Amino acid sequence: TEYRLGYQFSRINNTASIPSPEFRRLEGATSRLRARFIHEGQDSPVLPTQGIRAAVHAQWVFSAPGADKQFPILDLDFRWATRLNRNYVFQANFAAGTSASGSNYFSPFFLGGAFRLAALARDQMIGNRYYFTQAALLRRLREEPTSIVGRLYLITAFEAGRAYYPN
């Protein structure tokens, strides 16, 4: 179990490779207070076969480019894995986040890429709110670990999610 509390100061300078009215150019400093709780109860951080992982990230943003007032950010992530038998493992993941920042363009949430809507490009979906769910069935292909990659699994997964700006 992990508890963290800290202050973060950073500078943002973003650009879009393809101009779009949906994405504004943002440049400036951000400052925020962050708190995080993580319960790490799984047997592996990459491909767990059993256990629960729960994470809560809360932030209070004091200043950010495009924001006219302070606002909170909340991000929840729950993962569960269990062995069905000697060769099969079931995994489930649910994550959601919200930013009560109204319609500003400081976007704390991204989806896309490996393990977070894998059919999309990395960070292709962006927004002030998001939800994500995944269910996966892992089939162990080898009984003994290989010397290079360890255990070898065939993975069948269903993913659904969306990152968006509220209307």
Side-chain angles (χ1 to χ4, degrees):
T1 302
E2 170 186 322
Y3 300 94
R4 287 191 181 195
L5 180 66
Y7 184 81
Q8 179 181 5
F9 180 80
S10 59
R11 182 155 181 79
I12 292 178
N13 184 3
N14 75 348
T15 58
S17 57
I18 300 173
S20 169
E22 185 176 328
F23 299 108
R24 289 190 352 198
R25 178 176 169 79
L26 295 178
E27 184 175 1
T30 66
S31 64
R32 57 182 125 181
L33 181 66
R34 300 170 60 132
R36 177 167 71 175
F37 164 78
I38 298 177
H39 168 70
E40 201 66 70
Q42 294 186 319
D43 61 349
S44 169
V46 180
L47 283 175
T49 59
Q50 63 184 7
I52 292 174
R53 180 184 193 275
V56 177
H57 302 262
Q59 301 178 48
W60 187 265
V61 179
F62 296 106
S63 65
D68 55 352
K69 60 182 179 176
Q70 299 179 6
F71 58 92
I73 298 173
L74 181 63
D75 188 8
L76 308 170
D77 190 344
F78 180 78
R79 300 170 189 208
W80 174 64
T82 187
R83 287 189 183 109
L84 300 177
N85 61 33
R86 202 174 86 185
N87 291 320
Y88 287 93
V89 174
F90 177 77
Q91 295 177 343
N93 181 8
F94 176 76
T98 186
S99 168
S101 61
S103 61
N104 80 57
Y105 290 90
F106 177 73
S107 305
F109 304 116
F110 303 89
L111 288 177
F115 304 111
R116 300 281 278 197
L117 295 181
L120 300 178
R122 191 175 132 238
D123 298 339
Q124 184 174 340
M125 297 179 92
I126 183 172
N128 284 354
R129 295 191 174 110
Y130 88 103
Y131 59 87
F132 171 76
T133 188
Q134 179 187 60
L137 183 65
L138 285 68
R139 165 74 162 98
R140 186 168 52 184
L141 298 177
R142 288 187 52 127
E143 188 68 32
E144 296 298 319
T146 63
S147 61
I148 297 173
V149 295
R151 298 198 187 277
L152 192 58
Y153 290 94
L154 175 68
I155 301 173
T156 303
F158 168 81
E159 296 178 315
R162 179 178 175 215
Y164 61 98
Y165 295 103
N167 292 337

